PDB file of all heavy atoms in Angstrom:
ATOM      1  N   CYS A 148     -20.259 -31.719  77.391  1.00 98.00           N
ATOM      2  CA  CYS A 148     -19.076 -32.176  78.095  1.00 98.00           C
ATOM      3  C   CYS A 148     -17.944 -32.352  77.099  1.00 98.00           C
ATOM      4  O   CYS A 148     -18.165 -32.528  75.899  1.00 98.00           O
ATOM      5  CB  CYS A 148     -19.329 -33.472  78.870  1.00 98.00           C
ATOM      6  SG  CYS A 148     -19.642 -34.937  77.866  1.00 98.00           S
ATOM      7  N   ALA A 149     -16.735 -32.280  77.596  1.00 97.00           N
ATOM      8  CA  ALA A 149     -15.549 -32.372  76.762  1.00 97.00           C
ATOM      9  C   ALA A 149     -14.415 -32.976  77.569  1.00 97.00           C
ATOM     10  O   ALA A 149     -14.483 -33.049  78.799  1.00 97.00           O
ATOM     11  CB  ALA A 149     -15.152 -30.988  76.239  1.00 97.00           C
ATOM     12  N   ALA A 150     -13.361 -33.407  76.885  1.00 97.00           N
ATOM     13  CA  ALA A 150     -12.224 -34.033  77.547  1.00 97.00           C
ATOM     14  C   ALA A 150     -10.928 -33.632  76.877  1.00 97.00           C
ATOM     15  O   ALA A 150     -10.870 -33.476  75.657  1.00 97.00           O
ATOM     16  CB  ALA A 150     -12.364 -35.552  77.545  1.00 97.00           C
ATOM     17  N   THR A 151      -9.881 -33.482  77.694  1.00 96.00           N
ATOM     18  CA  THR A 151      -8.540 -33.165  77.232  1.00 96.00           C
ATOM     19  C   THR A 151      -7.539 -33.802  78.180  1.00 96.00           C
ATOM     20  O   THR A 151      -7.866 -34.069  79.336  1.00 96.00           O
ATOM     21  CB  THR A 151      -8.308 -31.643  77.177  1.00 96.00           C
ATOM     22  OG1 THR A 151      -6.959 -31.372  76.795  1.00 96.00           O
ATOM     23  CG2 THR A 151      -8.567 -30.997  78.532  1.00 96.00           C
ATOM     24  N   ASN A 152      -6.321 -34.029  77.706  1.00 95.00           N
ATOM     25  CA  ASN A 152      -5.281 -34.525  78.588  1.00 95.00           C
ATOM     26  C   ASN A 152      -4.495 -33.401  79.266  1.00 95.00           C
ATOM     27  O   ASN A 152      -3.553 -33.676  80.004  1.00 95.00           O
ATOM     28  CB  ASN A 152      -4.323 -35.463  77.850  1.00 95.00           C
ATOM     29  CG  ASN A 152      -3.582 -34.795  76.713  1.00 95.00           C
ATOM     30  OD1 ASN A 152      -3.781 -33.624  76.431  1.00 95.00           O
ATOM     31  ND2 ASN A 152      -2.718 -35.562  76.053  1.00 95.00           N
ATOM     32  N   ARG A 153      -4.896 -32.164  79.064  1.00 96.00           N
ATOM     33  CA  ARG A 153      -4.226 -31.022  79.688  1.00 96.00           C
ATOM     34  C   ARG A 153      -4.619 -30.893  81.161  1.00 96.00           C
ATOM     35  O   ARG A 153      -5.621 -31.463  81.608  1.00 96.00           O
ATOM     36  CB  ARG A 153      -4.540 -29.736  78.937  1.00 96.00           C
ATOM     37  CG  ARG A 153      -4.154 -29.773  77.466  1.00 96.00           C
ATOM     38  CD  ARG A 153      -2.639 -29.826  77.283  1.00 96.00           C
ATOM     39  NE  ARG A 153      -1.975 -28.655  77.820  1.00 96.00           N
ATOM     40  CZ  ARG A 153      -1.828 -27.496  77.181  1.00 96.00           C
ATOM     41  NH1 ARG A 153      -2.304 -27.352  75.944  1.00 96.00           N
ATOM     42  NH2 ARG A 153      -1.192 -26.490  77.763  1.00 96.00           N
ATOM     43  N   LEU A 154      -3.841 -30.096  81.912  1.00 96.00           N
ATOM     44  CA  LEU A 154      -4.025 -29.974  83.350  1.00 96.00           C
ATOM     45  C   LEU A 154      -4.135 -28.536  83.855  1.00 96.00           C
ATOM     46  O   LEU A 154      -4.724 -28.307  84.911  1.00 96.00           O
ATOM     47  CB  LEU A 154      -2.864 -30.640  84.090  1.00 96.00           C
ATOM     48  CG  LEU A 154      -2.747 -32.152  83.952  1.00 96.00           C
ATOM     49  CD1 LEU A 154      -1.421 -32.626  84.510  1.00 96.00           C
ATOM     50  CD2 LEU A 154      -3.901 -32.833  84.668  1.00 96.00           C
ATOM     51  N   SER A 155      -3.574 -27.588  83.159  1.00 96.00           N
ATOM     52  CA  SER A 155      -3.537 -26.211  83.642  1.00 96.00           C
ATOM     53  C   SER A 155      -4.920 -25.586  83.630  1.00 96.00           C
ATOM     54  O   SER A 155      -5.644 -25.657  82.633  1.00 96.00           O
ATOM     55  CB  SER A 155      -2.585 -25.382  82.780  1.00 96.00           C
ATOM     56  OG  SER A 155      -2.695 -24.005  83.078  1.00 96.00           O
ATOM     57  N   PHE A 156      -5.291 -24.932  84.727  1.00 96.00           N
ATOM     58  CA  PHE A 156      -6.579 -24.252  84.796  1.00 96.00           C
ATOM     59  C   PHE A 156      -6.732 -23.207  83.706  1.00 96.00           C
ATOM     60  O   PHE A 156      -7.832 -22.991  83.195  1.00 96.00           O
ATOM     61  CB  PHE A 156      -6.760 -23.590  86.163  1.00 96.00           C
ATOM     62  CG  PHE A 156      -7.205 -24.515  87.246  1.00 96.00           C
ATOM     63  CD1 PHE A 156      -7.427 -25.857  87.012  1.00 96.00           C
ATOM     64  CD2 PHE A 156      -7.413 -24.028  88.528  1.00 96.00           C
ATOM     65  CE1 PHE A 156      -7.843 -26.711  88.021  1.00 96.00           C
ATOM     66  CE2 PHE A 156      -7.825 -24.869  89.549  1.00 96.00           C
ATOM     67  CZ  PHE A 156      -8.041 -26.205  89.299  1.00 96.00           C
ATOM     68  N   SER A 157      -5.633 -22.554  83.337  1.00 95.00           N
ATOM     69  CA  SER A 157      -5.725 -21.505  82.342  1.00 95.00           C
ATOM     70  C   SER A 157      -6.176 -22.046  80.992  1.00 95.00           C
ATOM     71  O   SER A 157      -6.941 -21.389  80.275  1.00 95.00           O
ATOM     72  CB  SER A 157      -4.391 -20.763  82.213  1.00 95.00           C
ATOM     73  OG  SER A 157      -3.369 -21.626  81.750  1.00 95.00           O
ATOM     74  N   VAL A 158      -5.720 -23.239  80.616  1.00 96.00           N
ATOM     75  CA  VAL A 158      -6.118 -23.806  79.339  1.00 96.00           C
ATOM     76  C   VAL A 158      -7.403 -24.613  79.440  1.00 96.00           C
ATOM     77  O   VAL A 158      -8.126 -24.745  78.439  1.00 96.00           O
ATOM     78  CB  VAL A 158      -4.989 -24.657  78.719  1.00 96.00           C
ATOM     79  CG1 VAL A 158      -3.751 -23.803  78.486  1.00 96.00           C
ATOM     80  CG2 VAL A 158      -4.642 -25.853  79.592  1.00 96.00           C
ATOM     81  N   LEU A 159      -7.724 -25.143  80.614  1.00 97.00           N
ATOM     82  CA  LEU A 159      -8.960 -25.899  80.778  1.00 97.00           C
ATOM     83  C   LEU A 159     -10.198 -25.018  80.639  1.00 97.00           C
ATOM     84  O   LEU A 159     -11.301 -25.539  80.439  1.00 97.00           O
ATOM     85  CB  LEU A 159      -8.986 -26.608  82.126  1.00 97.00           C
ATOM     86  CG  LEU A 159      -8.006 -27.769  82.301  1.00 97.00           C
ATOM     87  CD1 LEU A 159      -8.116 -28.356  83.700  1.00 97.00           C
ATOM     88  CD2 LEU A 159      -8.234 -28.845  81.257  1.00 97.00           C
ATOM     89  N   GLN A 160     -10.037 -23.719  80.741  1.00 97.00           N
ATOM     90  CA  GLN A 160     -11.154 -22.799  80.586  1.00 97.00           C
ATOM     91  C   GLN A 160     -11.368 -22.355  79.138  1.00 97.00           C
ATOM     92  O   GLN A 160     -12.264 -21.544  78.871  1.00 97.00           O
ATOM     93  CB  GLN A 160     -10.952 -21.576  81.481  1.00 97.00           C
ATOM     94  CG  GLN A 160     -10.948 -21.926  82.962  1.00 97.00           C
ATOM     95  CD  GLN A 160     -10.621 -20.751  83.841  1.00 97.00           C
ATOM     96  OE1 GLN A 160     -11.417 -19.815  83.991  1.00 97.00           O
ATOM     97  NE2 GLN A 160      -9.434 -20.786  84.443  1.00 97.00           N
ATOM     98  N   ARG A 161     -10.596 -22.888  78.210  1.00 97.00           N
ATOM     99  CA  ARG A 161     -10.718 -22.531  76.799  1.00 97.00           C
ATOM    100  C   ARG A 161     -11.237 -23.733  76.009  1.00 97.00           C
ATOM    101  O   ARG A 161     -10.685 -24.828  76.089  1.00 97.00           O
ATOM    102  CB  ARG A 161      -9.367 -22.078  76.225  1.00 97.00           C
ATOM    103  CG  ARG A 161      -8.793 -20.859  76.937  1.00 97.00           C
ATOM    104  CD  ARG A 161      -7.743 -20.174  76.085  1.00 97.00           C
ATOM    105  NE  ARG A 161      -6.572 -20.988  75.864  1.00 97.00           N
ATOM    106  CZ  ARG A 161      -5.474 -20.941  76.600  1.00 97.00           C
ATOM    107  NH1 ARG A 161      -5.398 -20.105  77.634  1.00 97.00           N
ATOM    108  NH2 ARG A 161      -4.440 -21.715  76.308  1.00 97.00           N
ATOM    109  N   SER A 162     -12.260 -23.516  75.216  1.00 96.00           N
ATOM    110  CA  SER A 162     -12.879 -24.614  74.483  1.00 96.00           C
ATOM    111  C   SER A 162     -11.920 -25.261  73.488  1.00 96.00           C
ATOM    112  O   SER A 162     -12.004 -26.464  73.234  1.00 96.00           O
ATOM    113  CB  SER A 162     -14.138 -24.132  73.758  1.00 96.00           C
ATOM    114  OG  SER A 162     -13.833 -23.133  72.803  1.00 96.00           O
ATOM    115  N   GLY A 163     -10.985 -24.476  72.927  1.00 96.00           N
ATOM    116  CA  GLY A 163     -10.043 -25.014  71.964  1.00 96.00           C
ATOM    117  C   GLY A 163      -9.071 -26.018  72.537  1.00 96.00           C
ATOM    118  O   GLY A 163      -8.406 -26.738  71.783  1.00 96.00           O
ATOM    119  N   THR A 164      -8.973 -26.104  73.849  1.00 96.00           N
ATOM    120  CA  THR A 164      -8.095 -27.060  74.506  1.00 96.00           C
ATOM    121  C   THR A 164      -8.585 -28.492  74.362  1.00 96.00           C
ATOM    122  O   THR A 164      -7.786 -29.431  74.361  1.00 96.00           O
ATOM    123  CB  THR A 164      -7.970 -26.704  75.993  1.00 96.00           C
ATOM    124  OG1 THR A 164      -7.382 -25.407  76.123  1.00 96.00           O
ATOM    125  CG2 THR A 164      -7.134 -27.721  76.755  1.00 96.00           C
ATOM    126  N   TYR A 165      -9.878 -28.683  74.226  1.00 97.00           N
ATOM    127  CA  TYR A 165     -10.479 -30.001  74.332  1.00 97.00           C
ATOM    128  C   TYR A 165     -10.471 -30.740  73.004  1.00 97.00           C
ATOM    129  O   TYR A 165     -10.751 -30.151  71.946  1.00 97.00           O
ATOM    130  CB  TYR A 165     -11.898 -29.881  74.885  1.00 97.00           C
ATOM    131  CG  TYR A 165     -11.879 -29.410  76.315  1.00 97.00           C
ATOM    132  CD1 TYR A 165     -11.774 -28.054  76.620  1.00 97.00           C
ATOM    133  CD2 TYR A 165     -11.915 -30.325  77.358  1.00 97.00           C
ATOM    134  CE1 TYR A 165     -11.714 -27.626  77.935  1.00 97.00           C
ATOM    135  CE2 TYR A 165     -11.857 -29.898  78.670  1.00 97.00           C
ATOM    136  CZ  TYR A 165     -11.757 -28.541  78.953  1.00 97.00           C
ATOM    137  OH  TYR A 165     -11.696 -28.125  80.258  1.00 97.00           O
ATOM    138  N   THR A 166     -10.158 -32.019  73.062  1.00 95.00           N
ATOM    139  CA  THR A 166     -10.019 -32.847  71.876  1.00 95.00           C
ATOM    140  C   THR A 166     -11.212 -33.756  71.621  1.00 95.00           C
ATOM    141  O   THR A 166     -11.330 -34.310  70.530  1.00 95.00           O
ATOM    142  CB  THR A 166      -8.753 -33.711  71.976  1.00 95.00           C
ATOM    143  OG1 THR A 166      -8.771 -34.466  73.193  1.00 95.00           O
ATOM    144  CG2 THR A 166      -7.509 -32.822  71.975  1.00 95.00           C
ATOM    145  N   SER A 167     -12.082 -33.933  72.606  1.00 96.00           N
ATOM    146  CA  SER A 167     -13.267 -34.764  72.461  1.00 96.00           C
ATOM    147  C   SER A 167     -14.464 -34.028  73.034  1.00 96.00           C
ATOM    148  O   SER A 167     -14.352 -33.366  74.068  1.00 96.00           O
ATOM    149  CB  SER A 167     -13.099 -36.109  73.178  1.00 96.00           C
ATOM    150  OG  SER A 167     -12.013 -36.851  72.637  1.00 96.00           O
ATOM    151  N   TRP A 168     -15.615 -34.177  72.383  1.00 97.00           N
ATOM    152  CA  TRP A 168     -16.835 -33.481  72.789  1.00 97.00           C
ATOM    153  C   TRP A 168     -18.029 -34.413  72.754  1.00 97.00           C
ATOM    154  O   TRP A 168     -18.128 -35.289  71.886  1.00 97.00           O
ATOM    155  CB  TRP A 168     -17.125 -32.298  71.863  1.00 97.00           C
ATOM    156  CG  TRP A 168     -16.158 -31.176  72.021  1.00 97.00           C
ATOM    157  CD1 TRP A 168     -14.941 -31.041  71.426  1.00 97.00           C
ATOM    158  CD2 TRP A 168     -16.332 -30.017  72.843  1.00 97.00           C
ATOM    159  NE1 TRP A 168     -14.343 -29.878  71.823  1.00 97.00           N
ATOM    160  CE2 TRP A 168     -15.173 -29.225  72.694  1.00 97.00           C
ATOM    161  CE3 TRP A 168     -17.353 -29.576  73.683  1.00 97.00           C
ATOM    162  CZ2 TRP A 168     -15.011 -28.016  73.361  1.00 97.00           C
ATOM    163  CZ3 TRP A 168     -17.190 -28.374  74.353  1.00 97.00           C
ATOM    164  CH2 TRP A 168     -16.030 -27.609  74.184  1.00 97.00           C
ATOM    165  N   GLY A 169     -18.934 -34.221  73.707  1.00 97.00           N
ATOM    166  CA  GLY A 169     -20.205 -34.910  73.674  1.00 97.00           C
ATOM    167  C   GLY A 169     -21.172 -34.245  72.718  1.00 97.00           C
ATOM    168  O   GLY A 169     -20.887 -33.205  72.114  1.00 97.00           O
ATOM    169  N   GLN A 170     -22.356 -34.849  72.581  1.00 97.00           N
ATOM    170  CA  GLN A 170     -23.335 -34.384  71.603  1.00 97.00           C
ATOM    171  C   GLN A 170     -24.160 -33.206  72.096  1.00 97.00           C
ATOM    172  O   GLN A 170     -24.846 -32.569  71.292  1.00 97.00           O
ATOM    173  CB  GLN A 170     -24.270 -35.537  71.215  1.00 97.00           C
ATOM    174  CG  GLN A 170     -25.424 -35.809  72.179  1.00 97.00           C
ATOM    175  CD  GLN A 170     -25.036 -36.559  73.439  1.00 97.00           C
ATOM    176  OE1 GLN A 170     -23.868 -36.850  73.693  1.00 97.00           O
ATOM    177  NE2 GLN A 170     -26.038 -36.885  74.256  1.00 97.00           N
ATOM    178  N   GLY A 171     -24.107 -32.903  73.377  1.00 97.00           N
ATOM    179  CA  GLY A 171     -24.884 -31.827  73.956  1.00 97.00           C
ATOM    180  C   GLY A 171     -26.202 -32.316  74.535  1.00 97.00           C
ATOM    181  O   GLY A 171     -26.812 -33.260  74.032  1.00 97.00           O
TER     182      GLY A 171
END
């Protein structure tokens, strides 16, 4: 799981958009 403050679907589908990540 990951989290970002972005909203656009186009960027939400890219892993580089996310600023926080879970451990898996």
Side-chain angles (χ1 to χ4, degrees):
C148 67
T151 177
N152 62 359
R153 302 292 298 276
L154 294 169
S155 170
F156 279 0
S157 63
V158 300
L159 291 179
Q160 296 175 71
R161 300 199 295 266
S162 62
T164 298
Y165 293 83
T166 54
S167 299
W168 290 85
Q170 82 282 4

